[in-house]
Amino acid sequence: MTPPIVKRYIIAFEKYKWVGLASFALIVAGSTVVAIQPEPPPTYVADSALTYSGPTVSFSTTGSEIQEQGKELDAASLLSDQLIESISTTMGIKPKVLASSVDLKLPKRNSRTGKLESNIIELKYRDTDPKRAQEVVKALMDGMIQYSSDVNTTRLRAIIEKVNERIPQAKGELQAAEQKLEIYDRRERPAILAAENGSLLNAVTNSQNQQRVIQQTITGIDAQIRSLQEKLGLNVNQAYVSSALSADPILRDLRTQLYQTESQIALLRKDLRPEHPTMIQLMRQKQATEELLQQRAAEVVGGDGTAAPLAGNITGIRAQSNLDPARQLLANQMVALQTQRETLQQQLAQQVREELQLRQEYSQIPNKQLERSRLEQEVALKKAVFDQMQAKLTDARTAEAETVSSFSIARAITVIADAKKPKSVVLTLAVGGFLGFVVGGGIIFLLGSLEGTFRTREDIRDSLKQREVALLGEIPLMPVDDLPPEGIPVVLSAESVYLEFYEKLRSNLRRFGGKNLKVVLITSTSSNEGKTTSAYNLGIAAARAGKRTLIIETDLRSPSRCLSLRVNPDPDANLEPLRYYGSLSECIRLVPDVENLYIIPSPGPVRQSAAVLESSEIRRLMEDVRERYDLVILDTHPLSLSNDALLIQPYSDGMVLVARPNYTQENMLGEAVDQLVEAELGLVGTIINGADITISLPPSVESVSIEEPEIQDEATEVSVGANSQ
């Protein structure tokens, strides 16, 4: 059996053989031109070598680093366009020719250690003139050495320039950081030192001790005040008012005058009546004295505008201002104690505020210490950067006197003749022929692969297996001789060798579809894949198996193929298709050569086929035939050309896809299968039509292998189109 890849290649060769032959001829012609070319003139190779070097004595780190960086130069930098143009101008050689003749080989680096495996740089130059080859190599070596020296000097000067640019900024940042630290120390350093040497905690302790002493003193004064209150029967405010009133000389005189007037009134009251002028005068004098007494008492208590008023009232002024010297002394003592108590309370409040302030200041000490530490670190960092820049600048200036090229001559120039064997014409032609055969065959295979069409049944089978779709049967290509126009090959004879394949298809359809599979919809992804042929012959196989079978051509966009079954379609059916489908007796035809087989020919081509398929007449027709027949086969329009198959699908119990080598597109079949499976539209399986299968003929005829011919043009397509419907 021929492998699938060989089949695909044979099919592609039949279609693209002229492209492959043209490629083969083109390559053979090119090799012939190369073979007949005359021998080139002798060439000479000037060979020399450079090595990585450095200064004899190095006193700076920067100089050593620059020398090491000089080893990183690549071939493109060493053989720069400027160097090539300069040498080509001097030697009279074209730059492109000079660049193509130079071979520069740099040492490789170890992949694990990253170090150079050697220090030798190989330099070769090919030329037909040995003297010129030596001069070119000499110029190249001098140019590369000078270029390395210039690169090292430029790098060093760039370092010095960059350091000089950064030093003022680093110095300014250092001074700013030192100034911040100095200002912070001037403001917060005393508090930090006080916390560190313990004086701040001592101040808190002393404040607490003073508070306790003041509180004890206030407690003693409160005891004295309570004792004096018990003795006088007055509180502090009353004692203050009484003491002030008793000490006033004007009140003392007025009180004396009032006592004298009252004494006279008491003496004269026994002899005189109240209406007596003397009694009236004394009463008026008493009243005036009392008013003066009351007025003076108000002035004393109110402060008379020059002193603060006293806390108290002036009711009972005579009693309040009549303290004897002993009580007045006690009252003054009580007032003095109250004043002392208030003074001590103010001192206590002041001590409490000072303690709170000291505690707050002490609680902020850790933050202040952290801030100062941060400022110190910032100063240290800025100073370290500044010192490193100073050291780098000094080191770079020292290296300026040491900088030399990273290359030196390792091997003197030697010129040798490059001897070449004369080319073999036979070998060149043989190699060209072989390459032409390989390239031509590869182009044919590539063009065949890029078409995106299944070439063999094995390709279709693998695609279905990947998508887990059942393969219902493989149908060989049937002969198309002696067919009427627009006819398709059908197995009307019960002795046909092709009937066996459709019997197998029918049994597999029943096995995969189940017992409830009664209405089968057969479609394809595109035209010419054999869906109508499969539908007709499947119906014939089912009818010969004793099943009452009906074929309905629901492809209303194409004319009927029922002439292949020797059934004449109704010529007027396309005028009123709904009326045609509404009468079963008119639209159903009996196939004369096959018992139990009936067909409803298509009235197509019909405009607005979708409206017909969605009509109530089609619905009633499908309901009726489902009850009358054992198997109903629906032949529909291809999926890629219209949605007619999806419109008629709800009336079916399962769908069957027909694929055909050399016709079915890979992407179209895969997309159709994926959509039907995802939409759960009842895809039962797939039929491979037109497969290259060996047919076992009767003993009188030898076995032959029917393989599908490749379509070359439109005429050939018409001749094989019958099996593609």
Side-chain angles (χ1 to χ4, degrees), residues 355-415:
E355 180 187 358
L356 179 60
Q357 183 178 0
L358 291 173
R359 288 184 179 276
Q360 291 178 351
E361 186 175 354
Y362 186 76
S363 64
Q364 295 176 357
I365 291 300
N367 295 334
K368 293 179 180 180
Q369 290 175 338
L370 289 175
E371 179 65 16
R372 189 180 187 283
S373 177
R374 186 187 66 79
L375 292 175
E376 285 182 342
Q377 292 178 358
E378 184 177 359
V379 170
L381 178 61
K382 301 295 183 183
K383 189 175 186 308
V385 172
F386 180 74
D387 292 342
Q388 288 179 1
M389 288 185 179
Q390 291 285 0
K392 187 67 175 179
L393 180 61
T394 303
D395 187 74
R397 287 175 177 171
T398 303
E400 192 172 8
E402 305 173 357
T403 303
V404 295
S405 175
S406 297
F407 301 139
S408 61
I409 299 176
R411 186 171 66 243
I413 303 174
T414 58
V415 180

Side-chain angles (χ1 to χ4, degrees), residues 262-274 279 283 286:
E262 289 177 349
S263 299
Q264 291 177 6
I265 291 172
L267 290 175
L268 294 176
R269 184 178 295 165
K270 296 178 179 180
D271 299 330
L272 299 176
R273 282 188 273 177
M279 291 295 291
M283 291 297 294
K286 175 183 177 183

Side-chain angles (χ1 to χ4, degrees), residues 60 92 144-145 169 209 220 254 284 333 350 407 425 521 594 601 636 656 673:
S60 63
M144 286 188 287
I145 292 174
Q169 180 182 355
N209 294 333
L254 290 174
R284 290 177 179 174
Q333 185 178 358
Q350 180 65 25
F407 301 139
V425 177
L521 187 149
V594 182
T636 65
V656 176
V673 169

Side-chain angles (χ1 to χ4, degrees), residues 416-489:
I416 57 176
D418 186 13
K420 293 184 178 179
K421 294 181 180 180
K423 60 185 175 183
S424 174
V425 177
V426 177
L427 180 60
T428 303
L429 293 177
V431 172
F434 176 75
L435 291 177
F437 177 78
V438 173
V439 172
I443 291 176
I444 293 174
F445 187 80
L446 180 61
L447 292 176
S449 301
L450 293 178
E451 285 187 348
T453 303
F454 291 111
R455 288 300 179 185
T456 63
R457 58 173 175 158
E458 288 81 5
D459 296 339
I460 301 177
R461 188 188 304 160
D462 293 340
S463 178
L464 297 177
K465 186 176 181 181
Q466 291 177 0
R467 289 175 169 80
E468 298 181 354
V469 177
L471 178 60
L472 301 178
E474 297 180 355
I475 310 300
L477 185 67
M478 299 174 62
V480 295
D481 298 334
D482 300 331
L483 287 178
E486 302 296 332
I488 59 176

Side-chain angles (χ1 to χ4, degrees), residues 53-312:
S53 63
T56 307
V57 180
S58 179
F59 296 98
S60 63
T61 305
T62 305
S64 301
E65 293 176 354
I66 293 294
Q67 294 298 129
E68 288 296 324
Q69 291 177 4
K71 298 180 180 181
E72 301 295 332
L73 296 176
D74 55 5
S77 300
L78 294 175
L79 296 176
S80 62
D81 294 339
Q82 296 178 353
L83 179 60
I84 296 297
E85 291 178 0
S86 175
I87 297 176
S88 63
T89 302
T90 304
M91 300 297 175
I93 308 173
K94 293 183 179 181
K96 292 184 178 180
V97 176
L98 178 61
S100 61
S101 301
V102 175
D103 183 14
L104 182 64
K105 184 178 180 182
L106 298 175
K108 297 181 180 180
R109 291 186 176 273
N110 192 304
S111 58
R112 292 181 299 176
T113 61
K115 296 182 179 180
L116 294 174
E117 296 180 354
S118 66
N119 290 331
I120 302 300
I121 302 174
E122 300 286 344
L123 178 62
K124 295 181 180 181
Y125 176 73
R126 296 177 180 273
D127 202 325
T128 56
D129 187 354
K131 183 178 180 181
R132 186 171 58 184
Q134 184 176 7
E135 292 176 353
V136 169
V137 171
K138 178 71 168 57
L140 287 173
M141 293 173 61
D142 294 341
M144 286 188 287
I145 292 174
Q146 183 61 38
Y147 176 75
S148 175
S149 178
D150 294 341
V151 168
N152 292 344
T153 303
T154 302
R155 288 176 176 173
L156 185 60
R157 289 176 180 174
I159 292 174
I160 295 175
E161 183 179 354
K162 289 296 182 182
V163 173
N164 283 327
E165 290 178 359
R166 290 293 308 278
I167 281 181
Q169 180 182 355
K171 184 177 181 181
E173 292 177 354
L174 175 60
Q175 291 176 350
E178 291 176 344
Q179 186 176 4
K180 286 182 181 179
L181 180 60
E182 182 181 356
I183 294 173
Y184 189 82
D185 281 345
R186 192 181 302 119
R187 186 178 67 250
E188 304 293 346
R189 187 62 175 171
I192 296 175
L193 292 176
E196 291 176 351
N197 59 24
S199 59
L200 190 59
L201 287 177
N202 293 334
V204 174
T205 303
N206 293 335
S207 177
Q208 292 176 346
N209 294 333
Q210 291 180 8
Q211 291 178 31
R212 285 194 292 270
V213 172
I214 292 173
Q215 288 175 352
Q216 292 176 0
T217 305
I218 291 174
T219 302
I221 291 175
D222 289 341
Q224 293 180 15
I225 291 174
R226 286 195 299 272
S227 176
L228 291 175
Q229 286 178 350
E230 292 175 357
K231 292 179 180 180
L232 286 176
L234 301 174
N235 57 26
V236 175
N237 293 333
Q238 293 173 349
Y240 189 25
V241 173
S242 298
S243 176
L245 294 177
S246 300
D248 186 67
I250 297 175
L251 290 176
R252 188 184 306 115
D253 293 342
L254 290 174
R255 195 171 56 251
T256 301
Q257 292 177 11
L258 183 60
Y259 284 152
Q260 291 176 358
T261 302
E262 289 177 349
S263 299
Q264 291 177 6
I265 291 172
L267 290 175
L268 294 176
R269 184 178 295 165
K270 296 178 179 180
D271 299 330
L272 299 176
R273 282 188 273 177
E275 296 84 2
H276 193 276
T278 304
M279 291 295 291
I280 293 173
Q281 183 179 3
L282 289 175
M283 291 297 294
R284 290 177 179 174
Q285 185 178 357
K286 175 183 177 183
Q287 184 178 359
T289 304
E290 288 179 348
E291 290 177 357
L292 291 174
L293 181 64
Q294 190 71 22
Q295 183 180 357
R296 180 58 184 172
E299 292 177 355
V300 172
V301 173
D304 197 16
T306 59
L310 299 177

Side-chain angles (χ1 to χ4, degrees), residues 541-553:
R544 292 193 181 280
K547 302 293 183 181
R548 184 177 174 85
T549 306
L550 173 65
I551 301 173
I552 304 178
E553 291 183 331

Side-chain angles (χ1 to χ4, degrees), residues 467-531:
R467 289 175 169 80
E468 298 181 354
V469 177
L471 178 60
L472 301 178
E474 297 180 355
I475 310 300
L477 185 67
M478 299 174 62
V480 295
D481 298 334
D482 300 331
L483 287 178
E486 302 296 332
I488 59 176
V490 292
V491 287
L492 295 176
S493 174
E495 304 298 330
S496 175
V497 295
Y498 299 100
L499 185 60
E500 177 185 353
F501 295 94
Y502 288 101
E503 285 289 347
K504 183 178 180 181
L505 169 61
R506 185 188 66 83
S507 62
N508 286 337
L509 183 63
R510 177 64 64 184
R511 181 163 59 92
F512 287 102
K515 296 181 179 179
N516 296 326
L517 184 65
K518 194 170 187 179
V519 180
V520 180
L521 187 149
I522 298 180
T523 185
S524 61
T525 58
S526 61
S527 59
N528 299 328
E529 293 180 352
K531 61 179 183 58

